Amino acid sequence: MNRRSLLVAAGAVGLTTAVGGAAAAVAADDPEAGRKPRPMLTWELVGGFVPAGWTMLRAPRLVAYDDGLLIADATRRLRINGAEVRSLRTHATTVLRDPANACRRPGAPIVADVPSTVITARDNGRRYSGSFEGLEETRRDRAYPPPAYALLDHLTQLRDRVNRAGTRFQPEAVRVVVTLIDAAQPTTATLRPWPQGVPVPQLGKNEFVARMDLRDRQARALIRAVPHPDLSQWPVFRLPDGRRAQLNWRYLLPHE
């Protein structure tokens, strides 16, 4: 992947950030009420010092739905039983509804440029969310209260189980990120024509990054053109207007 061009894009659109400040847990009326399917729980990484394209394609580490469907990294799926769903919901909401669990210990070391762990759970029409800056990176320093790390362990075990025992998650729906390459930037990657059947991204004069959600026929055309997405390797295509662009994608989750 051409890191320099992605970092330029990040600067242009302001999508790359380093997360700082104290974390906070909040409870609010669920804005997703009435939508189906709805995630019962999401575990995401946000922020950190990464290129814009990476941020826009980063899938949740784990998503859980009310019917027991778990999806890890938008690549693997597994269904758990009702008792496990209730246990997960109870554990997550118990931790997240207490704001003290998302407060850093005074004097705890701050690690620069790390992402924040964001965990969101829904129960009885209420949504609970906690943001923990560098949760995994600060475990040894015990920057957060023990319940935060206990919940992280619970989610990690489930995610590992999905990746180990689950089946492939392959819907006909994808999220595509396209980043322009500076005309003066050399590249050794093979230049391909823009894939037939895939919409051409609409980029304004000062825009360098575009995101598209494609479904059905358009998604299948994209998957045929780039069958094995890899965030470390971004294929290079020539747009119809002659500009070069890097492209990558991931599968869309049921609620996206």
Side-chain angles (χ1 to χ4, degrees):
M1 177 180 176
N2 189 315
R3 180 175 175 82
R4 178 171 180 263
S5 61
L6 275 183
L7 287 174
V8 169
V13 298
L15 290 168
T16 297
T17 59
V19 177
V26 297
D29 291 328
D30 188 352
E32 296 177 320
R35 295 181 58 186
K36 294 184 179 180
R38 294 179 296 172
M40 180 270 287
L41 178 141
T42 58
W43 169 26
E44 304 173 274
L45 295 181
V46 301
F49 186 73
V50 292
W54 184 290
T55 299
M56 297 172 76
L57 276 183
R58 183 159 52 189
R61 289 196 157 193
L62 186 72
V63 179
Y65 296 91
D66 290 304
D67 62 359
L69 176 64
L70 304 181
I71 301 176
D73 308 309
T75 60
R76 307 286 291 183
R77 59 180 290 160
L78 181 74
R79 198 172 296 275
I80 60 177
N81 61 42
E84 291 179 292
V85 172
R86 289 190 292 274
S87 174
L88 175 59
R89 189 198 306 272
T90 299
H91 188 183
T93 55
T94 298
V95 173
L96 297 175
R97 67 162 52 102
D98 184 353
N101 289 325
C103 291
R104 291 177 59 91
R105 173 176 58 82
I110 296 177
V111 184
D113 298 334
V114 296
S116 288
T117 293
V118 178
I119 304 170
T120 303
R122 178 178 53 81
D123 185 31
N124 291 326
R126 298 283 285 175
R127 188 169 61 91
Y128 303 88
S129 185
S131 178
F132 309 82
E133 183 183 358
L135 182 62
E136 296 178 73
E137 294 82 359
T138 59
R139 174 189 287 274
R140 187 172 298 179
D141 298 309
R142 301 178 182 177
Y144 290 95
Y149 295 107
L151 179 57
L152 176 65
D153 289 341
H154 190 168
L155 300 182
T156 299
Q157 291 169 3
L158 285 173
R159 176 174 177 259
D160 290 346
R161 178 176 162 193
V162 176
N163 283 323
R164 180 181 65 253
T167 58
R168 291 181 179 178
F169 175 66
Q170 295 179 307
E172 290 189 335
V174 299
R175 173 158 293 170
V176 185
V177 170
V178 179
T179 65
L180 292 180
I181 298 176
D182 191 320
Q185 174 68 28
T187 178
T188 58
T190 301
L191 187 60
R192 314 181 194 180
W194 187 254
Q196 186 175 3
V198 176
V200 177
Q202 302 300 308
L203 291 159
K205 181 179 179 181
N206 296 316
E207 294 178 333
F208 296 88
V209 183
R211 191 188 80 181
M212 303 184 295
D213 289 346
L214 308 180
R215 291 175 169 82
D216 303 321
R217 182 180 299 177
Q218 293 178 342
R220 292 193 295 271
L222 188 280
I223 294 170
R224 284 194 300 270
V226 186
H228 305 293
D230 179 353
L231 278 178
S232 67
Q233 299 291 331
W234 288 54
V236 179
F237 293 87
R238 186 179 296 281
L239 296 172
D241 63 7
R243 293 181 296 175
R244 298 172 300 160
Q246 298 176 126
L247 175 153
N248 223 318
W249 64 273
R250 69 162 173 87
Y251 288 111
L252 274 176
L253 294 163
H255 65 279
E256 291 181 317

